[in-house]
Amino acid sequence: MVVSNRLPIAYREDSTGATIPLLSPGGLVAALAPALAGSGAAWVGWDGTFSGSEEPLDLEGFSLQPVSLTQAQITNHYEGLSNSTLWPLFHNVGVNPEYSEAWWADYLQVNRLFAQRVCNVVAEDGTVFVQDYQLMLVPEFVRSLRPDVAIGYFHHIPFPDATHVAGFEHAAELLEGLGACDVVGFQRQSDVDHFRACLQELNPSVEGTSLPHSAAYPISIDSAAVSTAASQPMVLAKAQEYATSWGNPEWVFLGVDRLDYTKGITQRLLAFEELLASGAVSADTAVFVQAGSPSRENVARYQQLSAEIDAIIERVNTTFPSVTGRPAVVYLRENLPRTDMLALFVVADVMVVSSLADGMNLVAKEFVAARHNDTGVLILSTHAGAAEQMPEALLVDSFVVSDITKVMQEALIMEKGETARRMKQLRADVAIHDVAEWATTILGDLSQARKA
Ligand code: F6P
């Protein structure tokens, strides 16, 4: 059984105007589908609506178990404690975590609701696989009710310096929550080390043997599926349509992100502004396409980021006009359909992933999986977990805008042979280390840990 804050579903209107739920085919769905196939397998999560139905949904072989949350619970658990306290705490990029007692109370309450639902549904001696920081107390609550089950937890986001995390007033409770697991997984070894150091700092008497098994399991994508999808005629036609609509510039730079302040979107736009100012490219020879899906829009810091991005783009486009009138920065502020997203990966010459902190960054992996002809340069922040696995990218400290500009310049002059050599290696690695490997490894360790 999988437990994640959001269920992998989206609601669409059919031709009669009725709302129908559809399975969203994300990486996690693809990874866990084989493990979930079988009787009693289920996915517990919130369906993204206010006070929605708790009626289970059977979709494409998945039994989805929605947990109904009130508006107040969503405000306090999701927007509050999860995304205004824990998200900035764990990413540690200079945004201060906010805190309120009411948020913490509902974080407890919502974690209890999830745990209760799990316990009602999970089979005897079953396996419960909990995802991410929104649900760190679920393992402990489940364990207290169901000592028979195996419990794993995967932390998708960074685990920074121990002293920083230990400073949060409920850090000990969060880590105790994970203490009930058989396996606790992180993206990188440094995350594992920080987690262990944090446990020691909060509770120096804790014995090594009483800790859950913790290790690094770098998450990945369904590489084969992305690769196949990116070569479909519809995607190639859309890529062509994009290039034509931008006036077929010599260089297409691309950023694809959830609109989040951890992604370094302003840094990369400022770097592109410097690149234009340097004269290395002009608005006629180059375009920067930034696709940004709106995210957590009720949280003040996200509204502020959105305004910052708008202001930079307006300035760049006014300062560097093109002859044709096509803006230097094309901003696609929407949730793009999958075909359009893949077309962007196909049409880009330089992909810029400039996260200031990022557990992994799957966009970097999707970009290389989509490149069939071994062209294209990946600029990748050293602060993204993906950097450890993708050394053939042009790695950069994305806090330093002038360094991003420098690697953009490097990308412009890279020999074709060198570009192909790097891309081939990147593609080969992501093809082998895919999300199926991630799922098999962590679930395998979970079953071993339970037997031991
Ligand atoms: O990867 C971090 C994460 O918070 C996931 O847990 C989540 O599925 C995703 O980002 C999207 O975030 P949200 O559910 O807040 O839109």
Side-chain angles (χ1 to χ4, degrees), residues 39-63:
S39 64
W43 195 312
V44 171
W46 167 53
D47 70 357
T49 67
F50 298 133
S51 304
S53 157
E54 297 221 315
E55 204 52 47
L57 299 162
D58 284 318
L59 286 183
E60 298 177 38
F62 287 83
S63 167

Side-chain angles (χ1 to χ4, degrees), residues 1 27 51 116 121 156-157 167 186 336 366:
M1 164 174 297
S51 304
Q116 191 62 60
V121 184
H156 290 250
I157 63 174
F186 295 91
L336 287 174
E366 292 202 330

Side-chain angles (χ1 to χ4, degrees), residues 5-6 78 83 87 132-134 156-157 258 295-296:
N5 184 51
R6 258 181 218 278
Y78 174 69
N83 289 318
W87 183 266
D132 231 355
Y133 63 101
Q134 303 95 339
H156 290 250
I157 63 174
R258 225 169 20 80
S295 181
R296 306 172 187 171

Side-chain angles (χ1 to χ4, degrees), residues 25-37:
L28 208 54
V29 172
L32 299 168
L36 282 177

